[in-house]
Amino acid sequence: QVQLVESGGGLVQAGGSLRLSCVVSGRTTRYYAMGWFRQAPGKEREFVAAVSWAGGNAVYTDSVKGRFTISRGDAANTASLQLNSLKPEDTAVYYCAADLTTRQIMEAPSYWGLGTQVTVSS
């Protein structure tokens, strides 16, 4: 069984930064592409960013380009999302996701974490 665990959420003022991390654990020998989604109150879950298992082919939704950076960790099946220049509209629960390719993540990830809250105050 594959499990994803996020960490690093919190409360920050507008303009501040946070770093989210995600680890894939469980019985798997695969290397996964990893990504992030977010869901704000009263809104649908939306794609934020994804990166391939090798660390290339990073893709972002337009609203976070230039502010957020997704990267792979040194350990296999780990990833981080650096959130800079945060805005109140970035407030949401952020979910880590994993699948074999970034395209599959963008379409319908097979694996999800439970989410971590990011709150940006104005």
Side-chain angles (χ1 to χ4, degrees):
Q1 184 176 359
V2 175
Q3 295 178 325
L4 279 63
V5 179
E6 305 99 336
S7 60
L11 172 64
V12 65
Q13 289 187 332
S17 298
L18 283 174
R19 187 175 182 85
L20 308 182
S21 296
C22 180
V23 178
V24 178
S25 63
R27 291 189 173 185
T28 177
T29 58
R30 295 180 182 272
Y31 291 96
Y32 291 99
M34 297 178 71
W36 294 88
F37 287 71
R38 66 185 180 185
Q39 188 168 19
K43 296 186 177 181
E44 294 187 353
R45 190 175 299 187
E46 65 170 348
F47 170 78
V48 175
V51 65
S52 68
W53 69 268
N57 298 326
V59 291
Y60 300 90
T61 191
D62 287 345
S63 63
V64 307
K65 286 181 180 177
R67 300 189 299 121
F68 293 6
T69 303
I70 189 169
S71 60
R72 302 301 303 236
D74 292 335
N77 288 335
T78 61
S80 295
L81 185 68
Q82 179 68 38
L83 292 68
N84 295 331
S85 302
L86 282 161
K87 305 175 181 180
E89 52 264 43
D90 294 318
T91 295
V93 177
Y94 283 70
Y95 297 90
C96 182
D99 213 313
L100 296 181
T101 68
T102 54
R103 182 170 186 173
Q104 288 173 288
I105 287 177
M106 294 173 70
E107 292 178 352
S110 297
Y111 305 107
W112 291 94
L114 295 179
T116 184
Q117 177 71 45
V118 171
T119 303
V120 185
S121 63
S122 59

